[in-house]
């Protein structure tokens, strides 16, 4: 009985050590990727200006592009997996034609000189307002729900900011793995504790048996 | 919400938050409540703690990333959190490198190898 518990305890301890080693390895990778990301942000800030890469540039509407799927495994451990969400049909280049962004002022076409009477001009103004309103509505419908966060900082951002984005994307994926490992470590620790208690009880029972 | 998975929340300095938001973790929900907190010099510990607790209470958050130096300020709140969801990950910050001996998870794991366990 005691040998069986000791064997299980040894196996559990070895697993625990392996998990800790893996956690340390992933942590090191995570930390170096974060550092790389900061370095790229600093480079972008140097290129764009001190106040161009800050919290002030965050959009008013922020939609998540990454989510975590959490799943409980049979022995109590958790699995964390990241998933990138779809960027919406407007950003899908393969199926739909890309919407061309208009940079200049939006004009309604040719303007007429004020040569007509007041009544006519009223009727004209009503007629001209309607299509513009419709146009705006259609533009709003077509605007992407998921805006790339890179665009918060400008249309032409430096390469270093893109590198920062890719570094942090990797960090996000890695952080899910680290979170899963952390829970695994805690579960194994609990298992070890219960096994140790079992072993102590078995040892105490043996001593009592010898004494009597 | 149920179909799309959980969010990643961030409590960190400006560069950390900017980086993770660039990565696409940010969200402003219908009540205009963000899933991140940019900690500045004048941010109070109470505010950080309240935000952390509000993230713990939200069921749409799966992972909370927090700079280790900020985690040190609210260590009691982090140590009190025993559930596996949301998972709390301590990450380094620009001025403060990651110290494994301060990490609450590793300290818990280390705690089991006390002299008492081997008696």
């Amino acid at each position: 009985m005691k040998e069986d518990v000791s064997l299980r305890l040894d196996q559990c301890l070895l697993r625990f050590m392996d998990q800790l080693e893996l956690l340390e390895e992933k942590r090191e990778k995570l930390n170096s990727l974060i550092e790389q990301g900061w370095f790229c942000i600093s480079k972008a800030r140097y290129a764009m200006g001190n106040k161009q890469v800050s919290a002030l540039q965050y959009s008013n509407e922020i939609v998540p592009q990454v989510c975590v799927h959490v799943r409980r495994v049979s022995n109590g451990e958790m699995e964390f997996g990241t998933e990138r969400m779809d960027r919406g049909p407007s950003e899908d280049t393969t199926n739909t034609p890309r919407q061309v962004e208009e940079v200049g002022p939006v004009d309604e076409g040719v303007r007429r000189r004020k040569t007509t009477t007041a009544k006519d001009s009223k009727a004209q103004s009503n007629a001209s307002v309607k299509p513009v309103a419709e146009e705006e509505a259609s533009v709003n419908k077509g605007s992407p729900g998921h805006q790339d966060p890179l665009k918060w900082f400008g249309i032409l951002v430096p390469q270093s900011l893109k590198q920062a984005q890719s570094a942090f994307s990797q960090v996000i994926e890695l952080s899910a793995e680290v979170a899963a490992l952390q829970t695994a470590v805690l579960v194994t620790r609990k298992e070890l504790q219960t096994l140790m208690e079992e072993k102590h009880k078995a040892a105490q029972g043996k001593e009592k048996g010898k004494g009597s | 919400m149920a179909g799309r998975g959980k969010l990643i929340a961030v409590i960190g300095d400006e560069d950390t938050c900017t980086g993770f938001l660039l990565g696409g973790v940010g969200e402003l929900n219908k009540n205009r409540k963000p899933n991140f907190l940019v900690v500045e010099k004048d941010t109070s510990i109470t505010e950080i703690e309240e935000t952390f607790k509000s993230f713990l209470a939200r069921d749409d958050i799966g992972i909370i990333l927090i700079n280790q130096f900020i985690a040190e300020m609210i260590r009691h709140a982090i140590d009190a959190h025993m559930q596996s969801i949301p998972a709390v990950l301590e990450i380094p910050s620009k001025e403060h490198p990651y110290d494994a001996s301060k990490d609450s998870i590793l300290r818990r794991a280390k705690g089991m190898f006390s002299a008492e366990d081997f008696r």
Side-chain angles (χ1 to χ4, degrees):
Chain A
M1 174 69 189
K2 197 188 167 190
E3 280 72 37
D4 182 44
V5 174
S6 300
L7 207 66
R8 276 195 290 154
L9 194 63
D10 285 350
Q11 282 170 351
C12 200
L13 191 65
L14 284 175
R15 195 168 74 236
F16 187 67
M17 291 299 178
D18 283 343
Q19 283 170 344
L20 280 179
E21 199 180 338
L22 197 62
L23 182 65
E24 202 186 329
E25 199 180 290
K26 296 235 181 219
R27 268 277 177 197
E28 215 166 280
K29 204 174 168 190
L30 182 101
N31 293 349
S32 73
L33 268 170
I34 292 177
E35 272 174 29
Q36 199 183 315
W38 286 329
F39 187 59
C40 291
I41 286 179
S42 296
K43 275 207 278 189
R45 192 171 282 141
Y46 181 74
M48 294 168 75
N50 193 24
K51 287 176 182 171
Q52 293 306 307
V53 187
S54 70
L56 294 172
Q57 272 75 43
Y58 296 169
S59 173
N60 288 327
E61 295 205 352
I62 306 175
V63 182
Q65 290 170 7
V66 188
C67 67
V68 192
H69 290 287
V70 187
R71 203 163 61 90
R72 192 178 287 274
V73 191
S74 56
N75 60 350
E77 289 178 17
M78 308 296 282
E79 261 187 14
F80 291 85
T82 53
E83 189 198 8
R84 292 236 148 229
M85 292 184 207
D86 296 337
R87 296 214 163 171
S90 59
E91 288 198 13
D92 193 357
T93 49
T94 51
N95 296 333
T96 50
R98 258 205 165 161
Q99 206 173 2
V100 180
E101 193 178 356
E102 286 179 30
V103 177
V106 185
D107 281 327
E108 305 90 65
V110 183
R111 286 181 187 166
R112 287 193 185 180
R113 287 170 190 265
K114 289 178 181 174
T115 50
T116 50
T117 58
K119 270 188 180 177
D120 285 345
S121 65
K122 259 191 180 176
Q124 271 177 11
S125 66
N126 283 341
S128 64
V129 163
K130 248 190 178 177
V132 171
E134 278 170 15
E135 213 173 273
E136 275 177 2
S138 68
V139 166
N140 284 339
K141 270 183 194 171
S143 66
H146 301 269
Q147 198 198 20
D148 189 351
L150 263 184
K151 287 178 185 166
W152 302 345
F153 303 96
I155 297 167
L156 286 169
V157 291
Q159 193 65 29
S160 46
L161 204 62
K162 289 178 188 169
Q163 285 167 353
Q165 189 181 36
S166 75
F168 275 100
S169 299
Q170 287 178 62
V171 169
I172 291 161
E173 281 171 27
L174 209 57
S175 63
E177 289 176 32
V178 173
L181 264 172
Q182 278 191 1
T183 54
V185 163
L186 291 180
V187 167
T188 316
R189 169 184 167 266
K190 221 173 194 178
E191 205 180 322
L192 265 174
Q193 275 176 334
T194 49
L195 279 171
M196 272 184 184
E197 276 169 23
E198 256 182 61
K199 195 184 168 182
H200 280 280
K201 274 180 192 169
Q204 279 170 359
K206 229 180 184 180
E207 275 172 23
K208 272 182 187 173
K210 268 184 187 176
S212 64
Chain B
M1 195 68 230
R4 75 169 193 200
K6 291 178 184 285
L7 297 169
I8 299 175
V10 188
I11 300 177
D13 56 22
E14 194 179 44
D15 276 12
T16 306
C17 285
T18 304
F20 280 103
L21 259 60
L22 264 177
V25 301
E27 191 215 41
L28 267 177
N29 63 12
K30 285 171 192 167
N31 306 320
R32 311 286 303 160
K33 252 194 139 185
N35 66 337
F36 58 89
L37 175 73
V38 180
V39 177
E40 283 157 353
K41 279 176 191 168
D42 54 348
T43 310
S44 65
I45 295 174
T46 325
E47 195 184 334
I48 297 167
E49 196 176 336
E50 273 172 18
T51 311
F52 178 72
K53 283 181 178 167
S54 74
F55 287 163
L56 289 183
R58 276 173 66 170
D59 61 349
D60 61 341
I61 289 177
I63 300 175
I64 301 174
L65 300 167
I66 182 165
N67 279 148
Q68 200 173 41
F69 83 97
I70 300 167
E72 280 293 295
M73 296 178 195
I74 53 162
R75 183 57 69 194
H76 57 282
I78 292 176
D79 285 341
H81 173 64
M82 302 300 269
Q83 272 84 37
S84 45
I85 300 175
V88 180
L89 245 78
E90 291 177 30
I91 51 173
S93 58
K94 262 179 149 178
E95 283 89 14
H96 308 83
Y98 176 74
D99 184 356
S101 63
K102 288 178 184 169
D103 194 301
S104 61
I105 299 287
L106 290 178
R107 273 198 297 123
R108 263 183 235 172
K110 208 177 159 187
M112 71 162 292
F113 294 111
S114 60
E116 243 176 60
D117 291 318
F118 288 101
R119 268 195 302 167

